[in-house]
Amino acid sequence: MKHNVLLIGSGGREHAMTWRIAQSPSCGELFVAPGNAGTSSLATNVNLDISDLQAVKAFCLERAIDLVVVGPEQPLVDGIIDFIRSEEELQQIAVVGPDSTAAQLEGSKEFAKEFMSKYDIPTAAYRSFQANELEEALAYIDQIQAPYVIKADGLAAGKGVVIAEDADTAKNTLIAFLKDKQFGEASSKVVIEAFLKGIEMSCFVAVDGTENYIVLPRAKDYKRIGEGDTGLNTGGMGAISPVPFEDQALFKKIEEAVVKPTVQGILSEGYHYRGFVFIGLMIVDQNPFVIEYNVRMGDPETQVVFPRFETDYIDFFKAIALGNLNAVEHKELQEAATTVIAVSKGYPQSYEKGKAITGLAPIDNDRIVFHAGTKTDNGQLLSNGGRVLAFTSYGSTIQNALDKSYEQLSKASFEGMTFRKDIGFDLETE
Ligand code: AMP
Ligand code: GLY
């Protein structure tokens, strides 16, 4: 049987998902809402307002959609899964993603911290404060040591975490968050937590509402705009997989101390969670600590994780939604994968769009350019966002894959194209 699929999102992550779904022999019609120029070469982009749930319903019925995959967090936090599950006419649809309650694992830092404490999942010690507890929060800063890690409770587009080196900066941040409501409701509560010094990595787990789970290949992303991990945080400037410093002993600790209690906790709480758990980890002296949960795949991590994870993706997504992940055949490739992101000049602050893109090589066996912010206008490929292209390659080693990513990037151009030359700089990559 062929399946008609609706994938929600428009980034590089969704192009990588589209690429994988389209490879499945049982892929029928594949729609991406809203998609980008890359997804339009493999699927049909649809201009659907995702926040208009009645419009989503009408589209699913009209196109006989039987699988919905949600890429980004916002629609999950806003309740798209709850809606589809509650509509009688949409019961035949398999949906990938947690409902809005479970999505609070990403949508509220305090919620996530309480979950971790309850299930003994290692994380930094913390306290949380509400808007009416500003004085207590300021006093707390005087009791603890620098650096201070201050997090807005809610979704703040990756800008809600401040690591303050001194007490004055920490206090000013608390005032900006709690009193001046810099991120509105999202910063009307804060979490202050202990600073963990270590190396970060990301672990992705597919869960299906039972005790089954699959740990996908691990990855490391590069969040800062500047070389040497300096400057502002971005959505991610590049990623690599596998993670060379993860040996078997470390993986076992991650699985036992973090993955299993997380899956068990989700079950014990009775959450409706059939999708991906993205666990942001800090490895401190070879021990994993959870920095954050996200309730979706990462971007740009998906662009290196999915290439290394081989399965029939329609079967895989269906199994996630229907609770039979144990029956899914899958394999992690030995090859490394890397992606280097080309961004618009000025990103992550203001930038211009609409620049003509040239020099993209066609997809071959070990190189693929995933599109992020792109569109086509009268046959011309144009930039259409902050992150524009993800130059992705396979290689026998991470260094070998990186060389290919940089080689294909060097042939491409658009006005103001900016990228980091040092993805993987902190790793022994040979
Ligand atoms: P988050 O949005 O929670 O992932 O935080 C953004 C970034 O802040 C993380 O990727 C880390 O680099 C850093 N960070 C967050 N929490 C801590 C912590 N407790 N100690 C050190 N760095 C942290
Ligand atoms: N690359 C980090 C994220 O997707 O949130």
Side-chain angles (χ1 to χ4, degrees):
M1 180 188 160
K2 296 271 189 194
H3 298 285
N4 292 342
V5 186
L6 173 63
L7 169 65
I8 291 170
S10 63
R13 166 182 52 209
E14 286 75 22
H15 188 191
M17 289 180 162
T18 304
W19 168 71
R20 278 310 201 185
I21 295 168
Q23 289 171 342
S24 168
S26 65
C27 183
E29 285 198 86
L30 172 56
F31 299 95
V32 190
N36 59 36
T39 63
S40 72
S41 66
L42 300 165
T44 307
N45 286 353
V46 284
N47 209 346
L48 192 59
D49 175 3
I50 292 308
S51 61
D52 180 352
L53 296 174
Q54 290 302 332
V56 173
K57 175 179 172 181
F59 182 83
C60 288
L61 292 174
E62 186 188 326
R63 298 298 183 148
I65 299 295
D66 66 2
L67 174 62
V68 173
V69 181
V70 183
E73 64 279 12
Q74 194 70 54
L76 296 167
V77 171
D78 292 346
I80 192 165
I81 303 293
D82 316 51
F83 173 78
I84 295 174
R85 294 186 67 226
S86 68
E87 288 290 305
E88 210 171 309
E89 291 161 276
L90 303 180
Q91 293 304 306
Q92 79 290 358
I93 300 183
V95 269
V96 175
D99 74 3
S100 60
T101 304
Q104 289 301 302
L105 285 172
E106 174 164 2
S108 163
K109 303 275 186 203
E110 188 188 34
F111 184 97
K113 282 293 203 179
E114 284 173 356
F115 176 89
M116 290 181 239
S117 319
K118 185 164 173 187
Y119 294 100
D120 274 332
I121 295 162
T123 188
Y126 77 105
R127 280 192 53 188
S128 57
F129 298 91
Q130 319 259 1
N132 63 3
E133 296 170 314
L134 177 61
E135 290 308 318
E136 289 91 328
L138 296 174
Y140 183 58
I141 294 296
D142 290 326
Q143 295 163 25
I144 58 176
Q145 307 291 316
Y148 308 94
V149 181
I150 300 172
K151 302 185 173 185
D153 182 61
L155 292 182
K159 302 196 179 89
V161 175
V162 171
I163 300 191
E165 296 297 335
D166 58 78
D168 280 349
T169 312
K171 289 180 182 179
N172 287 336
T173 304
L174 287 170
I175 293 167
F177 281 14
L178 289 175
K179 183 155 167 278
D180 304 339
K181 304 250 178 340
Q182 186 180 352
F183 298 108
E185 264 306 292
S187 69
S188 65
K189 209 189 274 177
V190 299
V191 165
I192 303 179
E193 68 178 39
F195 180 81
L196 297 174
K197 192 167 165 41
I199 184 156
E200 286 184 73
M201 59 178 280
S202 308
C203 176
F204 301 90
V205 186
V207 294
D208 69 356
T210 76
E211 292 190 350
N212 300 325
Y213 65 85
I214 294 176
V215 183
L216 276 69
R218 274 73 63 207
K220 182 169 182 7
D221 82 336
Y222 290 81
K223 287 202 178 84
R224 302 292 197 90
I225 186 72
E227 278 152 24
D229 286 343
T230 54
L232 293 174
N233 254 323
T234 71
M237 298 295 292
I240 56 112
S241 179
V243 174
F245 56 83
E246 185 205 71
D247 57 17
Q248 273 194 351
L250 176 58
F251 179 64
K252 197 160 173 1
K253 284 186 195 167
I254 293 171
E255 188 162 28
E256 295 300 324
V258 177
V259 174
K260 285 185 180 170
T262 298
V263 174
Q264 273 306 328
I266 287 171
L267 278 182
S268 303
E269 294 297 310
Y271 295 149
H272 178 87
Y273 201 141
R274 295 163 179 211
F276 294 99
V277 192
F278 165 171
I279 310 175
L281 295 169
M282 184 74 81
I283 309 301
V284 184
D285 298 331
Q286 290 298 304
N287 287 311
F289 289 81
V290 177
I291 292 275
E292 63 167 352
Y293 287 116
N294 296 306
V295 296
R296 51 173 174 86
M297 287 298 298
D299 187 342
E301 290 94 328
T302 305
Q303 292 92 304
V304 294
V305 171
F306 276 22
R308 298 193 57 245
F309 184 74
E310 292 237 317
T311 185
D312 177 318
Y313 274 73
I314 296 248
D315 288 352
F316 177 47
F317 286 133
K318 282 254 163 196
I320 288 174
L322 302 177
N324 46 28
L325 266 181
N326 52 332
V328 171
E329 280 181 34
H330 60 91
K331 152 170 125 194
E332 181 168 326
L333 295 185
Q334 286 299 311
E335 283 116 307
T338 59
T339 194
V340 179
I341 312 291
V343 303
S344 300
K345 184 169 174 226
Y347 173 81
Q349 292 173 300
S350 62
Y351 55 82
E352 289 177 14
K353 302 188 209 178
K355 308 294 184 194
I357 300 169
T358 56
L360 296 191
I363 294 177
D364 70 19
N365 283 340
D366 60 358
R367 292 160 219 239
I368 172 165
V369 183
F370 291 121
H371 291 223
T374 66
K375 67 173 184 180
T376 321
D377 195 4
N378 276 329
Q380 172 65 57
L381 184 62
L382 301 174
S383 67
N384 191 38
R387 291 191 288 174
V388 180
L389 297 162
F391 292 88
T392 307
S393 308
Y394 288 108
S396 51
T397 61
I398 287 171
Q399 190 56 54
N400 178 243
L402 279 170
D403 290 344
K404 293 183 205 172
S405 288
Y406 281 112
E407 188 200 305
Q408 44 170 355
L409 185 148
S410 71
K411 294 180 186 143
S413 75
F414 59 89
E415 191 190 317
M417 181 170 102
T418 304
F419 60 94
R420 272 181 65 169
K421 298 188 188 69
D422 70 341
I423 299 306
F425 77 103
D426 52 344
L427 308 170
E428 308 249 337
T429 54
E430 283 300 344

